[in-house]
Amino acid sequence: MMREQKNELCWEETRIGDAAWNGASVKEDGALDALRSSGAERGGAQHMAMRDVTAGYHGHVVLDGLRFEVPRGGILVLIGPNGAGKSTVLKTLSRALQPMQGIVTLDGLDLQHFSGEALAREVAVMLTDRAKPELMTVRDVASLGRYPYTGRLGRLDAEDEAQVKDAMEVMDVMALRERDFRELSDGQKQRVLLARALAQDPKLLILDEPTASLTPQEINELMDIIHNLTAAGKSIIIITHKLKEIKESSDNCTIIRRGKYIDTVRVADVSEDDLAAMMVGRQVTNKVDKKEMEPGRVVVEVKDLHAKDYRGVEVLKGLNLEVHAGEILGLAGIDGNGQSQLVEILTGLGKATSGQVIMNGKDVTNETPKMLFDEGISSIPEDRQKHGLVLDFSVAENLVLQNYAVAPYAKNGILQKKVIREHATDMIRDFDIRPVGCEERLAGQLSGGNQQKVIIAREVTNDKDFLIAFNPTRGLDVGAIEFVHKYLVAQRNKGRAILLVSFELDEIMNLSDRIDVIFDGQIDGEMMGAEADEYKLGLMMAGGKAE
């Protein structure tokens, strides 16, 4: 199909009230270009703006008169605590949610005047918790970015294919193009989803926690890509909780809290501690207060563990580790070195081909998730939506998923709904799950950070002998991270054995009593947490040996 045919009807035929625009009817490329040019003049230095926007769900206000501006060819970093309304901002900017009041403008025009195809040409959104197309190849996933532009037969032409190839090369995923998306590590998946957004060739790119699953090296590469995109004239919105990245990615940062605009600051003029305090409304400390403890008995022992992935490729190759009572063992490693398979075996979601898992002296290798839970294993899973929650269950129901059939939550086989709700109310208060009063709200309706809080509240209060925490603070703001770290240390001080699997080196070094480094399916090195530094860990994670 000819390119001109693909580009027609990019805008809905519309009449805009302003006298300068009255009666403008847009169907041809020439008219589209003229309006886009005039719109840029109308928007001036602002590419996109929110002006006094109030938005929410079923009468519940989430955004309350929010305002901010995205500079043309620049970067806006948007930060705020969990529950601040960032997910609602994303839905409003992508027109998935209509404002109750106020206006969102793009090139000076009301967003409502854009057709779906026209908006796809202007704006691409990459969401952290977006449903991922697990059964497609990497190339097919990246190609999804071009499908708003295809003809009736849904085929990509040579120009589309070239755009997809360029995007994949930029994100360094060309070598993965024929692999199934589902077999990739989280970091690799994140890069493929970024390639899909870039393939769309938008003028404005919205990135929600884009570095959530990336290694430090990948984060540095992404920052270079972002700056190259803005140098080419793209505008970018970054939503993140990582304070270091705010400093690296932009000159300015806008803070929102409880749906309201708080301030816009020059990042060069404020410290990370200042940003954290503005984000959560109080002073936050990143230093974990952890008393010295002598590790106790061995709670979990993994012996010569071997496992294969679904392709039959061996991913655990004789792994050995021990976790003691009263100890946090940090497992450091680049994503994709066997961490996921190890945790799946420890929680009953995967099977070992050989080796043993010993729990409190009992062989529990390849047992069911229910049996392992009863034996004393609790876990904060890697994928909160796939393994941590039932999204169509209420928050109250998710908080008792493992215990719904026992007292006090059930009596004679009948759920005690009042007790379950009261338990949820306590957890919502104690763990600052937002919005307040969300006991009966579906878990799938919460923001990603608050979904994580639901899981953490449930798992750390199970009081099991062994707690696995896989990226426990992913998607959490600095205040919530401080809270979770204190809870993990409190569990350790009670004599629990904790396995911390995290791709955040600062988290590993701050929390761990002892650190094992995993590389190519084996434990390749060990150091005490007090002796760890980023250089040594990074070298060992890459397969090198620390001196």
Side-chain angles (χ1 to χ4, degrees):
M1 178 170 287
M2 297 296 291
R3 198 72 186 170
E4 288 77 15
Q5 289 176 299
K6 291 184 181 182
N7 286 341
E8 69 180 4
L9 296 176
C10 287
W11 283 37
E12 294 173 324
E13 180 170 328
T14 183
R15 298 179 70 85
I16 303 173
D18 190 285
W21 298 85
N22 230 354
S25 177
V26 186
K27 290 185 179 180
E28 305 291 340
D29 279 349
L32 173 61
D33 291 340
L35 274 182
R36 186 173 285 145
S37 175
S38 298
E41 294 173 6
R42 183 181 173 90
Q46 304 157 8
H47 195 160
M48 178 177 264
M50 261 195 174
R51 304 192 183 283
D52 300 319
V53 167
T54 297
Y57 312 91
H58 310 296
H60 175 72
V61 172
V62 179
L63 305 182
D64 187 3
L66 186 62
R67 66 184 190 277
F68 60 78
E69 298 174 350
V70 185
R72 188 180 305 281
I75 301 171
L76 169 72
V77 174
L78 191 66
I79 65 171
N82 299 121
K86 299 184 299 298
S87 298
T88 305
V89 168
L90 283 170
K91 291 176 182 177
T92 306
L93 294 179
S94 59
R95 215 173 56 186
L97 181 68
Q98 304 299 321
M100 301 172 185
Q101 295 177 7
I103 187 173
V104 180
T105 63
L106 182 63
D107 280 340
L109 296 172
D110 189 334
L111 204 63
Q112 302 308 314
H113 293 304
F114 287 75
S115 69
E117 185 176 340
L119 192 60
R121 292 181 180 283
E122 300 288 336
V123 180
V125 182
M126 196 208 79
L127 301 176
T128 299
D129 288 320
R130 164 182 250 163
K132 298 178 177 66
E134 299 287 344
L135 300 180
M136 300 175 70
T137 67
V138 166
R139 181 167 61 181
D140 288 341
V141 173
S143 297
L144 290 175
R146 297 305 299 169
Y147 276 95
Y149 312 143
T150 58
R152 291 179 182 176
L153 296 179
R155 294 177 180 173
L156 301 183
D157 65 13
E159 187 177 342
D160 292 321
E161 293 283 4
Q163 191 75 44
V164 172
K165 182 183 177 189
D166 288 346
M168 293 176 69
E169 287 177 344
V170 166
M171 293 312 304
D172 193 27
V173 293
M174 275 296 289
L176 308 174
R177 61 188 179 277
E178 300 303 330
R179 289 179 62 182
D180 286 347
F181 185 80
R182 64 179 177 176
E183 74 184 47
L184 304 183
S185 68
D186 271 2
Q188 291 171 328
K189 286 180 179 179
Q190 195 84 331
R191 285 191 281 137
V192 173
L193 293 177
L194 278 164
R196 175 172 70 177
L198 291 178
Q200 196 171 317
D201 195 23
K203 293 177 176 57
L204 188 145
L205 189 60
I206 303 174
L207 305 177
D208 178 26
E209 298 287 353
T211 63
S213 302
L214 303 185
T215 65
Q217 294 85 350
E218 289 171 329
I219 290 171
N220 291 335
E221 292 169 4
L222 177 61
M223 290 301 153
D224 289 340
I225 290 168
I226 285 173
H227 289 298
N228 289 338
L229 289 171
T230 56
K234 307 286 187 185
S235 306
I236 297 176
I237 300 174
I238 300 175
I239 296 176
T240 184
H241 291 113
K242 297 185 177 181
L243 300 179
K244 285 183 179 179
E245 291 162 23
I246 295 169
K247 292 276 190 179
E248 295 173 4
S249 61
S250 179
D251 293 330
N252 299 300
C253 175
T254 293
I255 303 104
I256 66 172
R257 193 165 65 241
R258 296 187 182 273
K260 295 179 180 290
Y261 171 84
I262 300 300
D263 201 359
T264 297
V265 298
R266 284 183 52 81
V267 295
D269 298 336
V270 294
S271 67
E272 289 185 20
D273 289 342
D274 293 333
L275 283 173
M278 285 187 282
M279 184 192 298
V280 300
R282 62 177 177 83
Q283 291 297 318
V284 177
T285 175
N286 293 319
K287 186 65 178 176
V288 179
D289 186 15
K290 190 174 62 173
K291 68 179 182 181
E292 292 290 329
M293 280 188 65
E294 189 69 28
R297 62 185 177 83
V298 175
V299 174
V300 172
E301 184 178 7
V302 177
K303 295 182 178 179
D304 194 27
L305 200 65
H306 291 256
K308 297 179 179 180
D309 65 13
Y310 75 97
R311 301 167 298 164
V313 176
E314 190 172 45
V315 287
L316 294 180
K317 305 173 182 179
L319 185 141
N320 296 277
L321 62 78
E322 293 180 349
V323 191
H324 296 252
E327 173 188 59
I328 298 177
L329 173 66
L331 190 64
I334 297 171
D335 189 14
N337 277 279
Q339 299 97 318
S340 297
Q341 289 77 15
L342 171 63
V343 172
E344 285 173 359
I345 291 168
L346 292 175
T347 55
L349 297 176
K351 300 294 183 183
T353 54
S354 65
Q356 286 182 298
V357 176
I358 309 296
M359 172 76 185
N360 288 329
K362 180 179 179 180
D363 190 339
V364 294
T365 312
N366 292 340
E367 292 289 357
T368 65
K370 178 67 165 63
M371 188 272 188
L372 291 169
F373 178 78
D374 291 341
E375 287 294 328
I377 297 178
S378 190
S379 70
I380 300 166
E382 176 182 15
D383 189 326
R384 55 177 164 250
Q385 294 193 348
K386 188 175 181 180
H387 295 137
L389 297 166
V390 181
L391 298 179
D392 291 331
F393 281 15
S394 70
V395 170
E397 291 166 336
N398 272 282
L399 285 167
V400 295
L401 277 183
Q402 299 111 323
N403 301 308
Y404 69 91
V406 299
Y409 309 117
K411 184 177 181 180
N412 298 323
I414 299 174
L415 291 176
Q416 302 299 295
K417 293 187 176 181
K418 181 181 178 183
V419 175
I420 292 173
R421 182 182 174 87
E422 289 173 348
H423 170 71
T425 299
D426 291 342
M427 293 294 98
I428 289 168
R429 180 195 63 236
D430 293 347
F431 287 83
D432 191 29
I433 301 168
R434 298 182 185 178
V436 174
C438 63
E439 290 89 344
E440 301 305 322
R441 180 171 294 197
L442 299 183
Q445 295 176 342
L446 299 185
S447 68
N450 283 294
Q451 289 177 353
Q452 189 78 346
K453 288 182 183 180
V454 171
I455 296 169
I456 291 168
R458 182 184 68 218
E459 299 301 327
V460 302
T461 55
N462 278 330
D463 283 336
K464 297 294 184 178
D465 288 344
F466 180 44
L467 173 64
I468 303 168
F470 202 142
N471 286 335
T473 58
R474 179 184 175 186
L476 297 186
D477 63 63
V478 288
I481 290 171
E482 177 191 43
F483 182 81
V484 171
H485 285 176
K486 286 180 178 178
Y487 242 100
L488 291 176
V489 171
Q491 292 292 303
R492 169 254 202 191
N493 292 346
K494 289 180 180 178
R496 315 287 185 226
I498 298 174
L499 175 63
L500 172 66
V501 184
S502 177
F503 302 133
E504 301 288 345
L505 284 185
D506 287 345
E507 185 166 63
I508 289 283
M509 292 189 293
N510 283 338
L511 286 176
S512 302
D513 297 296
R514 187 165 53 89
I515 300 171
D516 279 355
V517 178
I518 186 170
F519 177 76
D520 195 25
Q522 297 178 312
I523 299 301
D524 203 42
E526 179 181 298
M527 65 177 64
M528 300 305 294
E531 300 169 359
D533 68 60
E534 194 167 329
Y535 174 77
K536 287 181 181 178
L537 273 179
L539 183 64
M540 294 169 68
M541 287 163 59
K545 300 294 181 184
E547 296 297 331

